[in-house]
Amino acid sequence: MARRRRRPNPGVGPVTPPPPSSLIGAPAMAAPPPIVGDNALVLGIETSCDETAAAVVAGGGRRVLSSVVSSQIDLHARYGGVVPEIAGRAHVELMLPVVTEAVVTAGVADDDVAAVAATCGPGLVGALLVGVSAAKALALVWSVPFVAVNHLEAHLHAAFLDEPDIELPVVVILVSGGHTMLVLMTDRLRFRVLGETLDDAAGEAFDKVARFLGLGYPGGPAIDRLATAGDPDAIAFPRPMLDDGWDFSFSGLKTAVINHVRRHQAADPADVAASFQEAVADVLVAKARRAAAACGARGLCLAGGVAANTRLRELVLDAGMADGLETYLPSPAMCTDNAAMVAAAGWWRLRADGPSPLDAGADPSLRLPGC
Amino acid sequence: MISCVTRGAAETRSLGAAVAAVAAPGDLIVLAGDLGAGKTALVQGFAAALGVARPVTSPTFVLANRYVGRMVVNHLDAYRLNGMAEARDLGLPELLDDGVTLVEWGDVISAALPASRLEIALGFGAGPDDRSVVLTPWGPSWLERRAALGRAVQTWRAPVRAGGAPAEPEPAC
C-alpha cells in the first residue's frame, strides 16, 4: 500500500534530546526546537482497565478537540467487576472505532497528529498491551513519536483539562478502584506521593461494600445514590489512620461495615451506605487538608473515578472554604478513565524526556516516578 | 489439617508471617474466606516476613501484584474472575515457576490450580475480630512440611504491622 506523504507539520520538530541544563543559556547555542510544538496535537489512547478511550488534545491540555470513551460497563455489570479476558478482547474490538471517532470528531487529518501517547501502566497487562501496540503502530505509520504514559500521572493532568490555570502547588486526592493516594503536585512534571493506601483502594472498598449490601456494580455510584436517603451520622464507623501519617487503610473500615451489618440485620442500608461514605470522605479530606497545610499548597484537587462521589466533592469544597484553599473538582468525564488526560500527559512527557522507544513494554505494576 | 483462631488483623498478619517461615519457591497457597475475613492481611504478614518492604495492597482491581523480598511473592485475586478460561489468562504456570504464589478467592478457580498446594480457609469467629483459620496441606511437598507448619503456626501471637514497617510519625514536607 502506498504511504501517504505527510505534509509539513508545524507542530513537529526533529526528534532530538534537549540540551544538558549547563548549556541552556550559553550564547553560542541556538535553542533547539521542541519535539512537539506549543499547540501540537497529541492522540492519546487509554486501555488500562475497563475503558477503551482515545482523544485528540492540543498543547498538553490547552484544548480538548475530542475525547471518546467506549464504556464496557454493560459487559462487566453481569460479572460484578472487571473481567480481564473480556476487557482484553473488547479493547481489541473497540480500538479502531474509538480511535477513528476521536480523529473524526476532532476534525483533524491523520497527519495533523504530532505524536501518539498510550497508557503503559499500571493496569491489566493484556488490556494495556492492546493500547500500547495500537499507539506504536499508528506512530510508525504516521512517522511521529510514540510516548508511553503512566496512568497515575495522566490522572494528575485531568483537572487541568477543565481548568488550565490551576495555581500550583496543589494536593491531589487521587482515588479510584485500584488506587488511593495523596500527591503534592508542584508543576506539571513534578509531583511527590505523600501517602497511599496500605491495603484496599477507596473505590475497591466502595465496590465491596456495595456488593455486600447487594447494590450491584459499579458500587461507587450505587452507594452515592443510596446514601442520599440515609443518615451519615447513624453509625459511627471507624476513621482508619485519621491521625496517623498520610497513608490510608480502608480494609478495616470495610470489615467494620460487614461486621455491623452481620450483627444488625435490621440496619437501614441507606444509613449504612451514608455512614460508610462519610467515613471514607472524612479520612480522605482530613488528610489532604493537613497535607496542604504542611506543604504550603495553594489548593486541593480531586482525580480518579471516586472523585465523582457527591459527598467527597462537598467535603473538599467545605475544606477549601474553611482553610482558604482553591478547590479543583474536575467534571466526572475527566475524573474517570479517559484518553484526554493521557494525551495531555504525553505532550508534557515528550517535551521533557523525548519519545519512548518502540520496544517499550507495558508494566502492570508501574508506580509514579519518584515514589 | 491445622486449626487456630486469630483475634484481630494483627494476629492474622502474624499467622501469615509464621506460614512464610516454611514456604519455598514454587509453592502455591490458596486463600478462601468471605469479604473482610483477612485474606489480604494474611498475605501482608507473609510478604513482610520475606522482606517485602512495599505495602502489600489488595490485588482485587489489578488482579496480580508481584513483590520481591528474599523470594518473589506473587499475590493474585480471583474475586472478579469468571470461569477457568480467565483463570488461565493469569499465566499461572509462569508465576508458579517464579517464587511463591498466593491466590485470594482461590477456591473460586480451584480446578484451574495445581493440586499441590496449601489451602488456608478463614472464617468469622465468635467476636467481631475473631477469625477461625484452617490450614490444609495437599500434595507430597506440603505434607512433608506438615509438622514444621504446625510448629510455625504456634508462633503467630507476636503481632506484625501492615507493610512490615513501624508506624511513621507525621511526615515533614
PDB file of all heavy atoms in Angstrom, chain A residues 79 81-83 85 198-200 204 207-208 211 246 255 259 290 295, chain B residues 35 44 56-58 60-61 79-80 82 86 89 124 128 131 170-171 173:
ATOM      1  N   TYR A  79     -20.883  -9.488  35.560  1.00  0.00           N
ATOM      2  CA  TYR A  79     -19.917 -10.292  36.303  1.00  0.00           C
ATOM      3  C   TYR A  79     -19.515  -9.659  37.625  1.00  0.00           C
ATOM      4  O   TYR A  79     -18.744 -10.238  38.364  1.00  0.00           O
ATOM      5  CB  TYR A  79     -18.668 -10.521  35.454  1.00  0.00           C
ATOM      6  CG  TYR A  79     -18.980 -11.246  34.178  1.00  0.00           C
ATOM      7  CD1 TYR A  79     -19.021 -10.568  32.978  1.00  0.00           C
ATOM      8  CD2 TYR A  79     -19.281 -12.599  34.198  1.00  0.00           C
ATOM      9  CE1 TYR A  79     -19.331 -11.232  31.810  1.00  0.00           C
ATOM     10  CE2 TYR A  79     -19.591 -13.264  33.045  1.00  0.00           C
ATOM     11  CZ  TYR A  79     -19.615 -12.584  31.844  1.00  0.00           C
ATOM     12  OH  TYR A  79     -19.925 -13.230  30.697  1.00  0.00           O
ATOM     13  N   GLY A  81     -17.661  -6.987  38.112  1.00  0.00           N
ATOM     14  CA  GLY A  81     -16.319  -6.433  38.180  1.00  0.00           C
ATOM     15  C   GLY A  81     -15.645  -6.428  36.825  1.00  0.00           C
ATOM     16  O   GLY A  81     -16.245  -6.771  35.822  1.00  0.00           O
ATOM     17  N   VAL A  82     -14.378  -6.028  36.843  1.00  0.00           N
ATOM     18  CA  VAL A  82     -13.598  -6.003  35.615  1.00  0.00           C
ATOM     19  C   VAL A  82     -13.182  -7.433  35.290  1.00  0.00           C
ATOM     20  O   VAL A  82     -12.612  -8.118  36.120  1.00  0.00           O
ATOM     21  CB  VAL A  82     -12.341  -5.143  35.801  1.00  0.00           C
ATOM     22  CG1 VAL A  82     -11.529  -5.120  34.538  1.00  0.00           C
ATOM     23  CG2 VAL A  82     -12.736  -3.753  36.229  1.00  0.00           C
ATOM     24  N   VAL A  83     -13.492  -7.877  34.102  1.00  0.00           N
ATOM     25  CA  VAL A  83     -13.152  -9.240  33.718  1.00  0.00           C
ATOM     26  C   VAL A  83     -12.062  -9.165  32.658  1.00  0.00           C
ATOM     27  O   VAL A  83     -12.291  -8.677  31.564  1.00  0.00           O
ATOM     28  CB  VAL A  83     -14.384  -9.988  33.191  1.00  0.00           C
ATOM     29  CG1 VAL A  83     -14.041 -11.419  32.885  1.00  0.00           C
ATOM     30  CG2 VAL A  83     -15.498  -9.910  34.223  1.00  0.00           C
ATOM     31  N   GLU A  85     -10.328 -11.131  30.630  1.00  0.00           N
ATOM     32  CA  GLU A  85     -10.390 -11.747  29.305  1.00  0.00           C
ATOM     33  C   GLU A  85     -11.325 -10.935  28.428  1.00  0.00           C
ATOM     34  O   GLU A  85     -11.039 -10.623  27.288  1.00  0.00           O
ATOM     35  CB  GLU A  85     -10.848 -13.200  29.440  1.00  0.00           C
ATOM     36  CG  GLU A  85     -10.590 -14.041  28.206  1.00  0.00           C
ATOM     37  CD  GLU A  85     -11.755 -14.029  27.249  1.00  0.00           C
ATOM     38  OE1 GLU A  85     -12.873 -13.727  27.666  1.00  0.00           O
ATOM     39  OE2 GLU A  85     -11.520 -14.315  26.066  1.00  0.00           O
ATOM     40  N   LEU A 198      -2.529   1.386  52.241  1.00  0.00           N
ATOM     41  CA  LEU A 198      -1.722   0.244  52.669  1.00  0.00           C
ATOM     42  C   LEU A 198      -2.451  -1.066  52.419  1.00  0.00           C
ATOM     43  O   LEU A 198      -1.882  -2.135  52.603  1.00  0.00           O
ATOM     44  CB  LEU A 198      -1.394   0.368  54.164  1.00  0.00           C
ATOM     45  CG  LEU A 198      -0.561   1.587  54.554  1.00  0.00           C
ATOM     46  CD1 LEU A 198      -0.351   1.627  56.054  1.00  0.00           C
ATOM     47  CD2 LEU A 198       0.785   1.578  53.835  1.00  0.00           C
ATOM     48  N   ASP A 199      -3.730  -1.000  52.028  1.00  0.00           N
ATOM     49  CA  ASP A 199      -4.457  -2.255  51.751  1.00  0.00           C
ATOM     50  C   ASP A 199      -5.447  -2.066  50.601  1.00  0.00           C
ATOM     51  O   ASP A 199      -5.083  -2.215  49.456  1.00  0.00           O
ATOM     52  CB  ASP A 199      -5.112  -2.819  53.024  1.00  0.00           C
ATOM     53  CG  ASP A 199      -5.724  -1.738  53.903  1.00  0.00           C
ATOM     54  OD1 ASP A 199      -6.519  -0.944  53.373  1.00  0.00           O
ATOM     55  OD2 ASP A 199      -5.410  -1.695  55.107  1.00  0.00           O
ATOM     56  N   ASP A 200      -6.703  -1.716  50.908  1.00  0.00           N
ATOM     57  CA  ASP A 200      -7.696  -1.578  49.844  1.00  0.00           C
ATOM     58  C   ASP A 200      -7.721  -0.139  49.328  1.00  0.00           C
ATOM     59  O   ASP A 200      -7.584   0.801  50.110  1.00  0.00           O
ATOM     60  CB  ASP A 200      -9.108  -1.895  50.366  1.00  0.00           C
ATOM     61  CG  ASP A 200      -9.292  -3.355  50.746  1.00  0.00           C
ATOM     62  OD1 ASP A 200      -8.292  -4.109  50.688  1.00  0.00           O
ATOM     63  OD2 ASP A 200     -10.414  -3.745  51.090  1.00  0.00           O
ATOM     64  N   GLU A 204     -12.273   0.397  45.699  1.00  0.00           N
ATOM     65  CA  GLU A 204     -12.475  -1.032  45.949  1.00  0.00           C
ATOM     66  C   GLU A 204     -13.358  -1.226  47.181  1.00  0.00           C
ATOM     67  O   GLU A 204     -14.244  -2.098  47.188  1.00  0.00           O
ATOM     68  CB  GLU A 204     -11.114  -1.696  46.145  1.00  0.00           C
ATOM     69  CG  GLU A 204     -11.213  -3.154  46.509  1.00  0.00           C
ATOM     70  CD  GLU A 204      -9.852  -3.805  46.682  1.00  0.00           C
ATOM     71  OE1 GLU A 204      -8.846  -3.229  46.250  1.00  0.00           O
ATOM     72  OE2 GLU A 204      -9.816  -4.897  47.256  1.00  0.00           O
ATOM     73  N   ASP A 207     -16.834  -0.636  46.136  1.00  0.00           N
ATOM     74  CA  ASP A 207     -17.366  -1.755  45.356  1.00  0.00           C
ATOM     75  C   ASP A 207     -17.710  -2.950  46.233  1.00  0.00           C
ATOM     76  O   ASP A 207     -18.730  -3.603  46.044  1.00  0.00           O
ATOM     77  CB  ASP A 207     -16.346  -2.182  44.293  1.00  0.00           C
ATOM     78  CG  ASP A 207     -16.643  -1.558  42.942  1.00  0.00           C
ATOM     79  OD1 ASP A 207     -17.702  -0.898  42.817  1.00  0.00           O
ATOM     80  OD2 ASP A 207     -15.837  -1.736  42.023  1.00  0.00           O
ATOM     81  N   LYS A 208     -16.825  -3.238  47.203  1.00  0.00           N
ATOM     82  CA  LYS A 208     -17.043  -4.435  48.017  1.00  0.00           C
ATOM     83  C   LYS A 208     -18.192  -4.225  49.003  1.00  0.00           C
ATOM     84  O   LYS A 208     -18.976  -5.142  49.237  1.00  0.00           O
ATOM     85  CB  LYS A 208     -15.749  -4.835  48.723  1.00  0.00           C
ATOM     86  CG  LYS A 208     -14.766  -5.452  47.731  1.00  0.00           C
ATOM     87  CD  LYS A 208     -13.530  -6.029  48.371  1.00  0.00           C
ATOM     88  CE  LYS A 208     -12.785  -6.892  47.354  1.00  0.00           C
ATOM     89  NZ  LYS A 208     -11.454  -7.301  47.835  1.00  0.00           N
ATOM     90  N   ARG A 211     -21.314  -4.535  47.037  1.00  0.00           N
ATOM     91  CA  ARG A 211     -21.627  -5.930  46.719  1.00  0.00           C
ATOM     92  C   ARG A 211     -22.197  -6.632  47.958  1.00  0.00           C
ATOM     93  O   ARG A 211     -23.141  -7.399  47.857  1.00  0.00           O
ATOM     94  CB  ARG A 211     -20.349  -6.631  46.240  1.00  0.00           C
ATOM     95  CG  ARG A 211     -20.572  -8.081  45.891  1.00  0.00           C
ATOM     96  CD  ARG A 211     -19.834  -8.431  44.627  1.00  0.00           C
ATOM     97  NE  ARG A 211     -19.608  -9.858  44.522  1.00  0.00           N
ATOM     98  CZ  ARG A 211     -19.044 -10.437  43.483  1.00  0.00           C
ATOM     99  NH1 ARG A 211     -18.654  -9.717  42.463  1.00  0.00           N
ATOM    100  NH2 ARG A 211     -18.864 -11.722  43.431  1.00  0.00           N
ATOM    101  N   TRP A 246       0.198  10.034  56.491  1.00  0.00           N
ATOM    102  CA  TRP A 246      -0.607  10.379  55.317  1.00  0.00           C
ATOM    103  C   TRP A 246      -1.027   9.161  54.513  1.00  0.00           C
ATOM    104  O   TRP A 246      -1.581   9.288  53.426  1.00  0.00           O
ATOM    105  CB  TRP A 246       0.166  11.366  54.422  1.00  0.00           C
ATOM    106  CG  TRP A 246       0.313  12.709  55.080  1.00  0.00           C
ATOM    107  CD1 TRP A 246      -0.467  13.214  56.086  1.00  0.00           C
ATOM    108  CD2 TRP A 246       1.302  13.701  54.814  1.00  0.00           C
ATOM    109  NE1 TRP A 246      -0.029  14.470  56.437  1.00  0.00           N
ATOM    110  CE2 TRP A 246       1.056  14.794  55.677  1.00  0.00           C
ATOM    111  CE3 TRP A 246       2.363  13.774  53.918  1.00  0.00           C
ATOM    112  CZ2 TRP A 246       1.826  15.950  55.674  1.00  0.00           C
ATOM    113  CZ3 TRP A 246       3.128  14.929  53.908  1.00  0.00           C
ATOM    114  CH2 TRP A 246       2.873  16.005  54.783  1.00  0.00           C
ATOM    115  N   THR A 255     -14.338  -4.083  56.740  1.00  0.00           N
ATOM    116  CA  THR A 255     -14.671  -5.155  57.678  1.00  0.00           C
ATOM    117  C   THR A 255     -15.631  -4.661  58.754  1.00  0.00           C
ATOM    118  O   THR A 255     -16.546  -5.387  59.160  1.00  0.00           O
ATOM    119  CB  THR A 255     -13.381  -5.712  58.313  1.00  0.00           C
ATOM    120  OG1 THR A 255     -12.476  -6.038  57.258  1.00  0.00           O
ATOM    121  CG2 THR A 255     -13.662  -6.952  59.133  1.00  0.00           C
ATOM    122  N   ASN A 259     -19.116  -6.337  59.618  1.00  0.00           N
ATOM    123  CA  ASN A 259     -19.444  -6.768  60.987  1.00  0.00           C
ATOM    124  C   ASN A 259     -20.738  -6.130  61.468  1.00  0.00           C
ATOM    125  O   ASN A 259     -21.572  -6.786  62.092  1.00  0.00           O
ATOM    126  CB  ASN A 259     -18.308  -6.402  61.949  1.00  0.00           C
ATOM    127  CG  ASN A 259     -17.151  -7.383  61.851  1.00  0.00           C
ATOM    128  OD1 ASN A 259     -17.327  -8.511  61.392  1.00  0.00           O
ATOM    129  ND2 ASN A 259     -15.967  -6.949  62.253  1.00  0.00           N
ATOM    130  N   ARG A 290      -4.515  18.468  56.048  1.00  0.00           N
ATOM    131  CA  ARG A 290      -3.287  18.528  56.836  1.00  0.00           C
ATOM    132  C   ARG A 290      -2.065  18.565  55.917  1.00  0.00           C
ATOM    133  O   ARG A 290      -1.101  19.283  56.170  1.00  0.00           O
ATOM    134  CB  ARG A 290      -3.208  17.318  57.773  1.00  0.00           C
ATOM    135  CG  ARG A 290      -4.042  17.506  59.040  1.00  0.00           C
ATOM    136  CD  ARG A 290      -3.614  16.546  60.136  1.00  0.00           C
ATOM    137  NE  ARG A 290      -4.088  15.192  59.878  1.00  0.00           N
ATOM    138  CZ  ARG A 290      -3.288  14.159  59.682  1.00  0.00           C
ATOM    139  NH1 ARG A 290      -1.980  14.301  59.714  1.00  0.00           N
ATOM    140  NH2 ARG A 290      -3.802  12.970  59.465  1.00  0.00           N
ATOM    141  N   CYS A 295       2.540  21.349  53.532  1.00  0.00           N
ATOM    142  CA  CYS A 295       3.355  21.533  52.334  1.00  0.00           C
ATOM    143  C   CYS A 295       3.193  22.935  51.747  1.00  0.00           C
ATOM    144  O   CYS A 295       3.795  23.237  50.712  1.00  0.00           O
ATOM    145  CB  CYS A 295       2.977  20.510  51.266  1.00  0.00           C
ATOM    146  SG  CYS A 295       3.136  18.817  51.810  1.00  0.00           S
TER     147      CYS A 295
ATOM    148  N   LEU B  35     -15.639 -11.676  52.242  1.00  0.00           N
ATOM    149  CA  LEU B  35     -15.180 -10.290  52.330  1.00  0.00           C
ATOM    150  C   LEU B  35     -14.864  -9.945  53.784  1.00  0.00           C
ATOM    151  O   LEU B  35     -15.682 -10.200  54.667  1.00  0.00           O
ATOM    152  CB  LEU B  35     -16.281  -9.336  51.842  1.00  0.00           C
ATOM    153  CG  LEU B  35     -16.521  -9.221  50.342  1.00  0.00           C
ATOM    154  CD1 LEU B  35     -17.734  -8.333  50.080  1.00  0.00           C
ATOM    155  CD2 LEU B  35     -15.308  -8.658  49.642  1.00  0.00           C
ATOM    156  N   GLN B  44      -0.172  -9.876  53.772  1.00  0.00           N
ATOM    157  CA  GLN B  44       0.703  -8.782  54.216  1.00  0.00           C
ATOM    158  C   GLN B  44       1.763  -9.285  55.189  1.00  0.00           C
ATOM    159  O   GLN B  44       2.944  -8.962  55.068  1.00  0.00           O
ATOM    160  CB  GLN B  44      -0.131  -7.683  54.893  1.00  0.00           C
ATOM    161  CG  GLN B  44      -0.949  -6.862  53.901  1.00  0.00           C
ATOM    162  CD  GLN B  44      -1.867  -5.872  54.592  1.00  0.00           C
ATOM    163  OE1 GLN B  44      -2.241  -6.050  55.744  1.00  0.00           O
ATOM    164  NE2 GLN B  44      -2.237  -4.820  53.867  1.00  0.00           N
ATOM    165  N   VAL B  56       1.730  -4.098  50.919  1.00  0.00           N
ATOM    166  CA  VAL B  56       1.037  -5.130  50.136  1.00  0.00           C
ATOM    167  C   VAL B  56      -0.441  -4.746  50.108  1.00  0.00           C
ATOM    168  O   VAL B  56      -1.112  -4.765  51.137  1.00  0.00           O
ATOM    169  CB  VAL B  56       1.250  -6.519  50.761  1.00  0.00           C
ATOM    170  CG1 VAL B  56       0.331  -7.545  50.128  1.00  0.00           C
ATOM    171  CG2 VAL B  56       2.706  -6.939  50.609  1.00  0.00           C
ATOM    172  N   THR B  57      -0.927  -4.366  48.932  1.00  0.00           N
ATOM    173  CA  THR B  57      -2.296  -3.879  48.808  1.00  0.00           C
ATOM    174  C   THR B  57      -3.171  -4.936  48.151  1.00  0.00           C
ATOM    175  O   THR B  57      -2.666  -5.869  47.540  1.00  0.00           O
ATOM    176  CB  THR B  57      -2.333  -2.581  47.983  1.00  0.00           C
ATOM    177  OG1 THR B  57      -1.702  -2.824  46.738  1.00  0.00           O
ATOM    178  CG2 THR B  57      -1.595  -1.465  48.710  1.00  0.00           C
ATOM    179  N   SER B  58      -4.477  -4.757  48.278  1.00  0.00           N
ATOM    180  CA  SER B  58      -5.400  -5.727  47.717  1.00  0.00           C
ATOM    181  C   SER B  58      -5.262  -5.784  46.197  1.00  0.00           C
ATOM    182  O   SER B  58      -5.273  -4.752  45.535  1.00  0.00           O
ATOM    183  CB  SER B  58      -6.831  -5.347  48.071  1.00  0.00           C
ATOM    184  OG  SER B  58      -7.722  -6.117  47.288  1.00  0.00           O
ATOM    185  N   THR B  60      -7.439  -6.876  44.126  1.00  0.00           N
ATOM    186  CA  THR B  60      -8.739  -7.117  43.508  1.00  0.00           C
ATOM    187  C   THR B  60      -8.848  -6.442  42.141  1.00  0.00           C
ATOM    188  O   THR B  60      -9.251  -7.063  41.165  1.00  0.00           O
ATOM    189  CB  THR B  60      -9.868  -6.638  44.421  1.00  0.00           C
ATOM    190  OG1 THR B  60      -9.865  -7.428  45.601  1.00  0.00           O
ATOM    191  CG2 THR B  60     -11.222  -6.798  43.745  1.00  0.00           C
ATOM    192  N   PHE B  61      -8.482  -5.171  42.041  1.00  0.00           N
ATOM    193  CA  PHE B  61      -8.646  -4.470  40.770  1.00  0.00           C
ATOM    194  C   PHE B  61      -7.554  -4.809  39.777  1.00  0.00           C
ATOM    195  O   PHE B  61      -7.809  -5.012  38.606  1.00  0.00           O
ATOM    196  CB  PHE B  61      -8.736  -2.959  40.976  1.00  0.00           C
ATOM    197  CG  PHE B  61     -10.151  -2.483  41.017  1.00  0.00           C
ATOM    198  CD1 PHE B  61     -10.926  -2.715  42.138  1.00  0.00           C
ATOM    199  CD2 PHE B  61     -10.737  -1.858  39.923  1.00  0.00           C
ATOM    200  CE1 PHE B  61     -12.241  -2.322  42.187  1.00  0.00           C
ATOM    201  CE2 PHE B  61     -12.062  -1.467  39.956  1.00  0.00           C
ATOM    202  CZ  PHE B  61     -12.817  -1.692  41.090  1.00  0.00           C
ATOM    203  N   TYR B  79     -11.255 -12.788  42.695  1.00  0.00           N
ATOM    204  CA  TYR B  79     -12.584 -12.274  43.058  1.00  0.00           C
ATOM    205  C   TYR B  79     -13.434 -11.957  41.835  1.00  0.00           C
ATOM    206  O   TYR B  79     -14.620 -12.203  41.803  1.00  0.00           O
ATOM    207  CB  TYR B  79     -12.382 -11.008  43.898  1.00  0.00           C
ATOM    208  CG  TYR B  79     -13.625 -10.307  44.394  1.00  0.00           C
ATOM    209  CD1 TYR B  79     -14.429 -10.867  45.382  1.00  0.00           C
ATOM    210  CD2 TYR B  79     -13.966  -9.051  43.900  1.00  0.00           C
ATOM    211  CE1 TYR B  79     -15.538 -10.191  45.865  1.00  0.00           C
ATOM    212  CE2 TYR B  79     -15.077  -8.366  44.384  1.00  0.00           C
ATOM    213  CZ  TYR B  79     -15.853  -8.946  45.362  1.00  0.00           C
ATOM    214  OH  TYR B  79     -16.951  -8.278  45.837  1.00  0.00           O
ATOM    215  N   ARG B  80     -12.821 -11.363  40.809  1.00  0.00           N
ATOM    216  CA  ARG B  80     -13.594 -10.933  39.645  1.00  0.00           C
ATOM    217  C   ARG B  80     -13.532 -11.918  38.487  1.00  0.00           C
ATOM    218  O   ARG B  80     -14.092 -11.643  37.431  1.00  0.00           O
ATOM    219  CB  ARG B  80     -13.035  -9.621  39.108  1.00  0.00           C
ATOM    220  CG  ARG B  80     -13.119  -8.491  40.043  1.00  0.00           C
ATOM    221  CD  ARG B  80     -12.161  -7.449  39.528  1.00  0.00           C
ATOM    222  NE  ARG B  80     -12.031  -6.382  40.472  1.00  0.00           N
ATOM    223  CZ  ARG B  80     -12.830  -5.325  40.479  1.00  0.00           C
ATOM    224  NH1 ARG B  80     -13.767  -5.201  39.592  1.00  0.00           N
ATOM    225  NH2 ARG B  80     -12.671  -4.403  41.371  1.00  0.00           N
ATOM    226  N   ASN B  82     -14.228 -14.927  36.075  1.00  0.00           N
ATOM    227  CA  ASN B  82     -15.424 -15.680  35.743  1.00  0.00           C
ATOM    228  C   ASN B  82     -15.016 -16.872  34.899  1.00  0.00           C
ATOM    229  O   ASN B  82     -14.808 -16.745  33.705  1.00  0.00           O
ATOM    230  CB  ASN B  82     -16.400 -14.786  34.983  1.00  0.00           C
ATOM    231  CG  ASN B  82     -17.695 -15.508  34.699  1.00  0.00           C
ATOM    232  OD1 ASN B  82     -18.421 -15.870  35.599  1.00  0.00           O
ATOM    233  ND2 ASN B  82     -17.960 -15.732  33.430  1.00  0.00           N
ATOM    234  N   GLU B  86     -10.571 -17.550  32.092  1.00  0.00           N
ATOM    235  CA  GLU B  86      -9.973 -16.312  32.581  1.00  0.00           C
ATOM    236  C   GLU B  86      -8.878 -16.595  33.592  1.00  0.00           C
ATOM    237  O   GLU B  86      -7.895 -15.877  33.668  1.00  0.00           O
ATOM    238  CB  GLU B  86     -11.054 -15.429  33.193  1.00  0.00           C
ATOM    239  CG  GLU B  86     -11.918 -14.814  32.118  1.00  0.00           C
ATOM    240  CD  GLU B  86     -13.206 -14.271  32.676  1.00  0.00           C
ATOM    241  OE1 GLU B  86     -13.293 -14.062  33.890  1.00  0.00           O
ATOM    242  OE2 GLU B  86     -14.120 -14.060  31.874  1.00  0.00           O
ATOM    243  N   ASP B  89      -5.787 -17.118  31.849  1.00  0.00           N
ATOM    244  CA  ASP B  89      -5.208 -15.868  31.344  1.00  0.00           C
ATOM    245  C   ASP B  89      -4.253 -15.221  32.341  1.00  0.00           C
ATOM    246  O   ASP B  89      -3.475 -14.359  31.985  1.00  0.00           O
ATOM    247  CB  ASP B  89      -6.322 -14.859  31.001  1.00  0.00           C
ATOM    248  CG  ASP B  89      -6.898 -15.131  29.628  1.00  0.00           C
ATOM    249  OD1 ASP B  89      -6.434 -16.084  28.978  1.00  0.00           O
ATOM    250  OD2 ASP B  89      -7.801 -14.389  29.211  1.00  0.00           O
ATOM    251  N   PHE B 124     -15.380 -16.340  59.937  1.00  0.00           N
ATOM    252  CA  PHE B 124     -15.678 -15.431  61.037  1.00  0.00           C
ATOM    253  C   PHE B 124     -15.886 -16.230  62.320  1.00  0.00           C
ATOM    254  O   PHE B 124     -16.494 -17.291  62.302  1.00  0.00           O
ATOM    255  CB  PHE B 124     -16.920 -14.593  60.712  1.00  0.00           C
ATOM    256  CG  PHE B 124     -16.636 -13.521  59.689  1.00  0.00           C
ATOM    257  CD1 PHE B 124     -16.618 -13.810  58.341  1.00  0.00           C
ATOM    258  CD2 PHE B 124     -16.352 -12.220  60.090  1.00  0.00           C
ATOM    259  CE1 PHE B 124     -16.333 -12.833  57.396  1.00  0.00           C
ATOM    260  CE2 PHE B 124     -16.062 -11.236  59.156  1.00  0.00           C
ATOM    261  CZ  PHE B 124     -16.062 -11.542  57.808  1.00  0.00           C
ATOM    262  N   PRO B 128     -16.288 -10.041  66.849  1.00  0.00           N
ATOM    263  CA  PRO B 128     -16.238  -9.415  65.532  1.00  0.00           C
ATOM    264  C   PRO B 128     -14.851  -9.476  64.890  1.00  0.00           C
ATOM    265  O   PRO B 128     -14.744  -9.504  63.674  1.00  0.00           O
ATOM    266  CB  PRO B 128     -16.651  -7.961  65.799  1.00  0.00           C
ATOM    267  CG  PRO B 128     -16.566  -7.754  67.279  1.00  0.00           C
ATOM    268  CD  PRO B 128     -16.739  -9.104  67.907  1.00  0.00           C
ATOM    269  N   ARG B 131     -11.162 -14.725  63.946  1.00  0.00           N
ATOM    270  CA  ARG B 131     -11.235 -15.493  62.713  1.00  0.00           C
ATOM    271  C   ARG B 131     -10.778 -16.916  63.009  1.00  0.00           C
ATOM    272  O   ARG B 131      -9.735 -17.116  63.626  1.00  0.00           O
ATOM    273  CB  ARG B 131     -10.319 -14.902  61.633  1.00  0.00           C
ATOM    274  CG  ARG B 131     -10.648 -13.456  61.250  1.00  0.00           C
ATOM    275  CD  ARG B 131     -11.947 -13.359  60.457  1.00  0.00           C
ATOM    276  NE  ARG B 131     -12.207 -11.994  60.019  1.00  0.00           N
ATOM    277  CZ  ARG B 131     -12.899 -11.102  60.733  1.00  0.00           C
ATOM    278  NH1 ARG B 131     -13.400 -11.440  61.923  1.00  0.00           N
ATOM    279  NH2 ARG B 131     -13.097  -9.892  60.270  1.00  0.00           N
ATOM    280  N   GLU B 170       4.175  11.874  61.668  1.00  0.00           N
ATOM    281  CA  GLU B 170       3.707  12.785  60.617  1.00  0.00           C
ATOM    282  C   GLU B 170       4.890  13.179  59.728  1.00  0.00           C
ATOM    283  O   GLU B 170       5.891  13.706  60.204  1.00  0.00           O
ATOM    284  CB  GLU B 170       3.123  14.052  61.258  1.00  0.00           C
ATOM    285  CG  GLU B 170       2.559  15.035  60.278  1.00  0.00           C
ATOM    286  CD  GLU B 170       1.123  14.703  59.923  1.00  0.00           C
ATOM    287  OE1 GLU B 170       0.611  13.652  60.337  1.00  0.00           O
ATOM    288  OE2 GLU B 170       0.521  15.493  59.220  1.00  0.00           O
ATOM    289  N   PRO B 171       4.812  12.915  58.408  1.00  0.00           N
ATOM    290  CA  PRO B 171       5.950  13.247  57.564  1.00  0.00           C
ATOM    291  C   PRO B 171       6.112  14.762  57.420  1.00  0.00           C
ATOM    292  O   PRO B 171       5.125  15.494  57.435  1.00  0.00           O
ATOM    293  CB  PRO B 171       5.598  12.600  56.232  1.00  0.00           C
ATOM    294  CG  PRO B 171       4.179  12.219  56.304  1.00  0.00           C
ATOM    295  CD  PRO B 171       3.720  12.293  57.723  1.00  0.00           C
ATOM    296  N   CYS B 173       7.288  18.084  55.155  1.00  0.00           N
ATOM    297  CA  CYS B 173       7.139  18.316  53.723  1.00  0.00           C
ATOM    298  C   CYS B 173       8.310  19.114  53.169  1.00  0.00           C
ATOM    299  O   CYS B 173       8.831  19.964  53.826  1.00  0.00           O
ATOM    300  CB  CYS B 173       5.850  19.057  53.430  1.00  0.00           C
ATOM    301  SG  CYS B 173       5.428  18.884  51.710  1.00  0.00           S
TER     302      CYS B 173
END
